[in-house]
Amino acid sequence: MKAAEKTFFGHPWGLATLFGTEMWERFSFYGMRAILAAFLMAPAVRSGLGLPETTAFAIVGVYQGMVYLTALPGGWLADRVLGARRAVLLGGVIIMCGHISMAIPVTSPVFVYLGLLLIVSGTGLLKPNVSGMVGYLYREDQDARRDSGFSLFYMGINIGALAGISLTPVLAGDRHWHLAFGSAAVGMALGLIWYVLGKRSLHGAGERVSQPLSPDERRAAVKWILIGMAALVALAALLAVTGLFTEDGVTWTVTAIIALVTVFYLAYIIHGGHGITPVERRRFGAYIWLFFAAVIFWMIFDLAPGPVTDFAMKSVDLTFFGFTIPAGWTQNFNSLFVIVFSPVFAAIWLTRWGSKVSSPLKFTFALFMAGLSFVVLAAAASVASGGVKVSILWLMVMYLMQTVGELTLSPVGLSVSTKLAPHHFKGQILGVWFLAAALGDAIGGQTYRLTGFLSLTQYYLVLGGVAVLAGLVLLMFVRRLKALMSDDDVAPGQALTH
């Protein structure tokens, strides 16, 4: 880097451009998400859709899952057709149109579901590719520096989330949902302006199409897209004929589709004929372990806008420093903790200690934090079952534990994805990483149905126990995974003999 070149906390200034773009996109995403479940459950007299809790939470879960599922085709389009830079710009425009659709003040749910579909599609283009462009700012041998850069980038995400979650519940009140949705559209517009103005600072990152389609591949792609569209139409017709074309039927179907796509695509990368070398295949095999650890983590973590906020609304004393806050604001504990601790974790990853702690061990710790956070929530639910409202400190402790796990897993997961990706999947691998969130969110959205035969305390304990058990399993294989990833501190042959 030239001495006179402007930097962003010691990192390339292009990180500031991507930081700001993602910050405003997350403002729109988390701001809308903060009120989505409440809007879906609100009765018609309060301008809501009047859906049952289990259905509303399932919709929120599969919506979040689809947001991350579309990161896979979004990464492919960037790799093969658009390039990451154009994909981010187009995605932001589509997201803005989605929020505008939701902001249209009509009683019909058509514009709401259309808006959600547009946001899903646009985020699939923007989310993986803006993160991938962060990785392009660093050399292959700058692992610790890349981890630090992703931690700062992650702080931008949470600044946006904090602002969005703070604003939209206030604008929405108990019936002005469309006004709040409109503020999300404004936020995405600001992100687009920042991105366009900062184009030069990226120095060509993400501009090139890394693996352009040949004419034959283009024809094949068009064919498969048409086949996919026909299959979706046929599936919708089948659901309609069988009487399953309902909110619940669609959410179950989408959850199954996400699970099938996940398994298929992981197998496709490893066993398809893509010129992947044996070393790349071995490293990606290790990555799959981390992938499924992330699925379990996100299954718990992304219940915040659904069951956790609902618990806050019904069972928590929301008095905070003498003020009564909206239940949706409790989601901001996570954002506040991330903003405070992101620089700390970014600094840790730059130290010798941060370099020595392997990615599998970081993921193990994150699973323990997620699981134990729900043990805390189960204790709070047990106290609240007596009919009293519990202190907001219970939620603060739960969110603090989840945030520590998040900062250990998420930025490192983004970084290790760019590190372990086979060469021909550098763009798509970020889509694969977001598949973990897609599957975790979709499954998590369905888990509230367990409260049909479990108490709320038991529900939280079961989910927390799953995460802790997964962490113990991962801990047993840390040395083997380090070897498969070819970490410097363990020779591959040594660990594989254990």
Side-chain angles (χ1 to χ4, degrees), residues 260-292:
L260 290 173
V261 168
T262 300
V263 173
F264 170 80
Y265 205 75
L266 292 177
Y268 168 73
I269 292 175
I270 287 188
H271 299 294
H274 320 293
I276 295 179
T277 67
V279 172
E280 288 179 328
R281 184 172 287 107
R282 166 171 62 79
R283 286 156 61 87
F284 192 75
Y287 177 80
I288 289 177
W289 282 73
L290 303 182
F291 176 92
F292 282 106

Side-chain angles (χ1 to χ4, degrees), residues 88-109:
V88 169
L89 180 62
L90 178 60
V93 171
I94 295 173
I95 291 170
M96 183 179 65
C97 291
H99 288 299
I100 291 172
S101 179
M102 295 188 70
I104 298 174
V106 295
T107 57
S108 170

Side-chain angles (χ1 to χ4, degrees), residues 44-63:
V45 293
R46 288 174 41 217
S47 303
L49 297 189
L51 299 177
E53 286 181 344
T54 53
T55 303
F57 296 156
I59 289 175
V60 173
V62 298
Y63 158 70

Side-chain angles (χ1 to χ4, degrees), residues 111-185:
F111 286 104
V112 172
Y113 291 131
L114 174 62
L116 291 176
L117 181 61
L118 288 171
I119 295 168
V120 163
S121 303
T123 307
L125 281 169
L126 186 148
K127 182 67 175 170
N129 294 307
V130 72
S131 300
M133 288 170 68
V134 174
Y136 297 153
L137 299 176
Y138 302 92
R139 298 194 312 266
E140 290 291 334
D141 60 346
Q142 294 181 307
D143 290 346
R145 186 171 171 79
R146 188 187 302 108
D147 283 0
S148 176
F150 271 113
S151 292
L152 288 173
F153 177 73
Y154 211 67
M155 183 171 67
I157 290 174
N158 285 275
I159 292 173
L162 174 66
I165 294 170
S166 298
L167 180 62
T168 53
V170 174
L171 291 177
D174 64 353
R175 66 179 65 244
H176 303 298
W177 313 105
H178 300 288
L179 175 63
F181 296 148
S183 72

Side-chain angles (χ1 to χ4, degrees), residues 195-243:
Y195 181 69
V196 172
L197 292 178
K199 176 182 177 180
R200 291 184 179 180
S201 68
L202 298 174
H203 299 299
E207 191 170 278
R208 185 176 62 89
V209 179
S210 61
Q211 194 181 1
L213 291 172
S214 68
D216 288 342
E217 288 175 326
R218 189 177 297 272
R219 285 190 290 270
V222 171
K223 181 186 73 173
W224 283 109
I225 290 172
L226 292 175
I227 291 173
M229 293 174 63
L232 287 177
V233 171
L235 179 60
L238 178 63
L239 291 175
V241 169
T242 57

